[in-house]
């Protein structure tokens, strides 16, 4: 999931000067006779946030407001993607600024502030995402993004020149490493080694799909890529808009718990999620298939059971240092586990997969009991984390996780 960081209102007061700056950005986009919803998107250099937050605004507020203005940073900076703005709901206008005090408004939880002609939605990303998941659980269907024909046609030409048939079925592949956001070391538990995915990639290719990898360049170790495989990151280092084509047009994606899975989801495509931590803010609403990393105590090779993970409140831990403080480490899925989960996903795509209903019901029952328990725990309530996506009937868990009887003890 996108970074769940949250700031308190007291830590980021809203000043009159900041509101005046915000107004100068928004006034040119006001609509006579009706208020405009204004939202500040603080984490625009994370593709997951840049995609899911506008999707949420469209889903939750698109019927109430005819225009939504999103104020954010420079979309040409690394990690961002200017082409996202072309895929959003027509109600949404994106305004860029480098005023840091205005951008900091995106960390404030102040609710909906009525400023007459504009209504400022002061919500941190975490609070917005939790509100979204609660609405989805209650029956709201997320609005999807749409790839414009102009981007699709440009991508077709570029990929065809690289030997990829963009009209034939392909799978998206993404793996996150510590090269993502250099200098930040808190997200190691959300990374995965690309070498363990080689059997999975070859299985997908053998099933008749092409494979497009997005993300960081220079990760592959093989001397020659197999036919039908292309690292978009290496082939088009300056054309990251092609990533959106890959997310929007793929038959399915295989990835970890990182921003691209939410871009894929926003375009209505399913994902195989491997090496996924058990985190609160996950709701695989597109019938995704998930496989989790193994949790264990440092110095102990035994994998923790799901109940042990929940009892230790580990789904509420988001940073490497916090895991280390608790004496917990996360182990990656093996190549065999990833390959087995890939075989399941391919069976799902063929309509030949059936869930182990009893084990899924047990998994969700444990998650639901955990969510009910944390409703009264002060820290989870204060951090707006008294919601646990895996306690709700969305998505499926791979047999590579559920076949271990001890896991569900």
């Amino acid at each position: 999931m996108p970074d769940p960081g949250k700031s308190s209102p007291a830590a980021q007061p809203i000043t009159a000067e900041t509101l005046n700056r915000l107004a100068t950005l928004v006034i040119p986009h006001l609509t006579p006779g009706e208020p405009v919803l204004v939202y500040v998107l603080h984490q625009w250099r994370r593709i997951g946030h840049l995609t899911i937050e506008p999707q949420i605004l469209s889903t939750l507020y698109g019927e109430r407001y005819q225009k939504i203005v999103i104020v954010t940073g420079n979309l040409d900076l690394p990690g961002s993607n200017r082409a996202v703005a072309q895929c959003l709901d027509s109600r949404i206008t994106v305004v860029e600024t480098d005023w840091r005090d205005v951008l900091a408004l995106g960390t404030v939880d102040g609710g909906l502030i009525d400023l007459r002609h504009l209504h400022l939605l002061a919500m941190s990303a975490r609070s917005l995402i939790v509100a979204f998941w609660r609405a989805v659980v209650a029956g709201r269907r997320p609005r999807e993004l749409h790839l414009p024909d102009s981007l699709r046609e440009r991508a077709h030409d570029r990929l065809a020149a690289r030997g990829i048939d963009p009209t034939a079925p392909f799978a998206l592949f993404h793996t996150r490493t510590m090269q993502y956001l250099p200098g930040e070391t808190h997200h190691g538990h959300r990374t995965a080694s690309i070498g363990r995915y080689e059997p999975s990639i070859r299985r997908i290719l053998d099933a008749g799909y092409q494979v497009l990898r997005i993300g960081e360049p220079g990760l592959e170790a093989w001397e020659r890529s197999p036919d039908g495989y292309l690292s978009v990151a290496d082939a088009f280092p300056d054309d990251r808009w092609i990533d959106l084509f890959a997310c929007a047009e793929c038959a399915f994606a295989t990835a970890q718990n990182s921003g691209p899975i939410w871009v894929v989801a926003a375009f209505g495509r399913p994902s195989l999620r491997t090496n996924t931590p058990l985190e609160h803010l996950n709701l695989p609403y597109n019938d995704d298939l998930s496989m989790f990393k193994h949790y264990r105590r440092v110095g102990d090779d035994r994998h923790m059971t799901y109940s042990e993970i929940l009892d230790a409140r580990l789904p509420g831990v988001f940073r490497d240092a916090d895991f280390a403080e608790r004496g917990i480490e996360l182990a990656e899925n093996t190549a065999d586990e990833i390959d087995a989960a890939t075989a399941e996903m391919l069976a799902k795509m063929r309509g030949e997969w059936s869930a182990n209903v009893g084990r899924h019901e047990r998994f969700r029952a444990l998650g639901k009991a955990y969510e009910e328990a944390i409703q009264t725990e002060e820290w989870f309530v204060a951090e707006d984390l008294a919601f646990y996506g895996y306690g709700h009937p969305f998505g499926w868990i791979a047999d590579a996780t559920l076949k271990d009887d001890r896991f569900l003890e």
Side-chain angles (χ1 to χ4, degrees):
M1 186 62 211
D3 191 306
K6 181 174 182 286
S7 299
S8 66
Q12 298 286 345
I14 302 176
T15 67
E17 180 182 6
T18 298
L19 286 178
N20 286 335
R21 285 187 168 186
L22 179 67
T24 64
L25 295 169
V26 176
I27 284 173
H29 305 283
L30 295 182
T31 303
E34 58 186 19
V36 168
L37 182 70
V38 179
Y39 176 79
V40 179
L41 199 162
H42 180 255
Q43 298 189 61
W44 76 98
R45 295 182 66 179
R46 299 172 184 264
I47 188 64
H49 281 280
L50 185 60
T51 303
I52 193 175
E53 292 181 45
Q55 179 195 24
I56 293 172
L57 296 174
S58 177
T59 301
L60 298 185
Y61 297 97
E63 294 179 2
R64 179 176 175 184
Y65 295 93
Q66 291 304 306
K67 178 174 278 191
I68 299 172
V69 176
I70 295 176
V71 177
T72 193
N74 183 348
L75 298 180
D76 291 322
L77 289 176
S80 191
N81 194 319
R82 179 170 295 279
V84 170
Q86 300 178 48
C87 304
L88 304 180
D89 188 320
S90 60
R91 295 176 177 82
I92 294 178
T93 297
V94 178
V95 177
E96 298 167 71
T97 184
D98 59 1
W99 281 331
R100 293 187 178 184
D101 59 333
V102 172
L103 293 172
L105 292 175
T107 67
V108 176
D109 277 317
L112 190 63
I113 302 173
D114 188 342
L115 301 173
R116 295 186 63 191
H117 298 300
L118 65 89
H119 292 174
L120 173 62
L121 181 64
M123 292 184 76
S124 65
R126 179 187 298 180
S127 295
L128 184 72
I129 290 167
V130 170
F132 182 46
W133 292 151
R134 292 190 186 280
V136 173
V137 166
R140 184 77 59 90
R141 180 64 192 171
R143 291 194 178 185
E144 295 180 2
L145 275 62
H146 296 282
L147 189 77
D149 290 340
S150 58
L151 289 184
R152 182 179 294 104
E153 291 167 3
R154 288 173 63 197
H156 280 200
D157 291 341
R158 297 291 179 89
L159 292 169
R162 291 283 183 162
I164 295 294
D165 181 356
T167 64
F170 68 88
L172 174 75
F173 173 53
H174 175 262
T175 186
R176 178 174 178 169
T177 77
M178 291 299 286
Q179 296 178 40
Y180 175 72
L181 296 179
E184 295 192 17
T185 59
H186 65 266
H187 59 267
H189 67 285
R190 297 171 70 186
T191 63
S193 305
I194 192 171
R196 299 192 180 195
Y197 285 86
E198 184 172 345
S200 167
I201 292 169
R202 295 190 182 279
R203 181 180 290 275
I204 294 171
L205 292 169
D206 290 344
Y209 294 92
Q210 302 167 105
V211 175
L212 301 183
R213 183 181 74 79
I214 65 172
E216 303 150 28
L219 297 185
E220 287 86 353
W222 45 44
E223 294 183 4
R224 180 183 179 277
S225 299
D227 292 341
Y229 178 92
L230 181 68
S231 168
V232 174
D234 291 288
F236 310 106
D238 300 321
D239 295 326
R240 303 316 296 268
W241 55 267
I242 298 181
D243 291 359
L244 296 181
F245 167 84
C247 291
E249 301 288 291
C250 65
F252 67 94
T254 175
Q256 297 81 48
N257 188 41
S258 192
I261 61 170
W262 301 106
V263 184
V264 170
F267 282 109
R269 313 308 300 158
S271 291
L272 166 62
R273 304 176 177 202
T274 56
N275 279 306
T276 300
L278 286 155
E279 294 180 347
H280 279 240
L281 303 185
N282 267 333
L283 195 73
Y285 61 86
N286 280 331
D287 202 32
D288 296 350
L289 186 65
S290 297
M291 181 170 63
F292 304 104
K293 280 193 171 182
H294 303 290
Y295 288 63
R296 62 193 180 200
R297 302 192 184 279
V298 175
D300 185 353
D301 291 336
R302 182 184 68 86
H303 295 160
M304 297 175 70
T305 67
Y306 191 32
S307 292
E308 289 173 332
I309 293 168
L310 298 178
D311 289 345
R313 300 304 190 251
L314 295 180
V317 179
F318 297 104
R319 302 184 186 279
D320 291 359
D322 297 325
F323 280 110
E325 182 181 346
R326 290 164 173 77
I328 300 295
E329 59 185 5
L330 276 62
E332 290 187 30
N333 301 137
T334 66
D336 287 344
E337 288 174 329
I338 296 169
D339 188 36
T342 302
E344 287 186 69
M345 188 67 183
L346 291 169
K348 278 182 97 283
M349 297 301 297
R350 296 192 301 269
E352 299 173 359
W353 183 85
S354 58
N356 186 316
V357 176
R359 290 185 177 181
H360 277 89
E361 288 179 348
R362 172 63 175 161
F363 176 83
R364 287 172 178 152
L366 289 170
K368 191 63 178 177
Y370 167 75
E371 185 184 61
E372 291 172 354
I374 62 176
Q375 298 295 318
T376 57
E377 296 185 15
E378 182 178 350
W379 184 85
F380 286 95
V381 173
E383 291 294 315
D384 205 1
L385 280 175
F387 173 87
Y388 185 58
Y390 293 119
H392 300 275
F394 290 87
W396 302 96
I397 312 304
D399 282 346
T401 291
L402 293 188
K403 71 179 182 181
D404 180 358
D405 291 331
R406 269 202 81 255
F407 181 71
L408 292 180
E409 284 181 356

